[in-house]
Amino acid sequence: NVMLFAPGLPFILIAETGFLRTCIYIGICGAIQLLLGLPFLMENPIGYIKMSFDLSRQFFFKWTVNYRFLPEEIFHSRYFHVSLLALHISLLIGPDKMFHLDFGPPP
């Protein structure tokens, strides 16, 4: 799933290509996504956007692989979901703060 590595990709792109090229690359990716979604956007734009970003949906416990060790009640707990999100965000921000990384233009 692209959502797993997408948050780190801009940092790598900025470090390797600079801010301007990163913006161009992200713009190209956005244009491709828009073109791929265009048939769905033309048919039902509100439904497509609403369901694309529906963060309130619940995943089925039977489909999980990584969290099979948890009881099903914890897996479906809202606190567990928020904790995972907070951990993910802190792991994205943490290294930058800990190691004072500089994502300026490449040398």
Side-chain angles (χ1 to χ4, degrees):
N1 189 336
V2 73
M3 295 304 286
L4 294 175
F5 67 82
L9 188 58
F11 293 113
I12 295 169
L13 282 172
I14 290 170
E16 293 297 319
T17 65
F19 183 74
L20 183 60
R21 277 205 176 159
T22 298
C23 289
I24 292 169
Y25 293 152
I26 291 174
I28 291 169
C29 292
I32 291 169
Q33 290 297 313
L34 185 63
L35 286 173
L36 291 173
L38 199 56
F40 304 102
L41 287 167
M42 298 298 287
E43 183 68 30
N44 184 5
I46 294 176
Y48 180 72
I49 299 295
K50 182 179 176 186
M51 295 307 292
S52 294
F53 300 100
D54 182 13
L55 298 177
S56 66
R57 65 180 172 222
Q58 289 277 322
F59 294 100
F60 293 116
F61 182 71
K62 67 180 180 179
W63 291 348
T64 187
V65 175
N66 296 331
Y67 300 109
R68 181 66 62 183
F69 65 93
L70 291 174
E72 191 169 354
E73 300 80 37
I74 293 176
F75 179 80
H76 288 296
S77 166
R78 188 80 174 149
Y79 296 115
F80 177 64
H81 298 167
V82 172
S83 299
L84 282 178
L85 181 62
L87 177 65
H88 184 81
I89 291 170
S90 66
L91 289 173
L92 290 174
I93 296 171
D96 179 44
K97 300 297 180 199
M98 283 177 32
F99 301 112
H100 306 290
L101 299 176
D102 180 20
F103 291 108

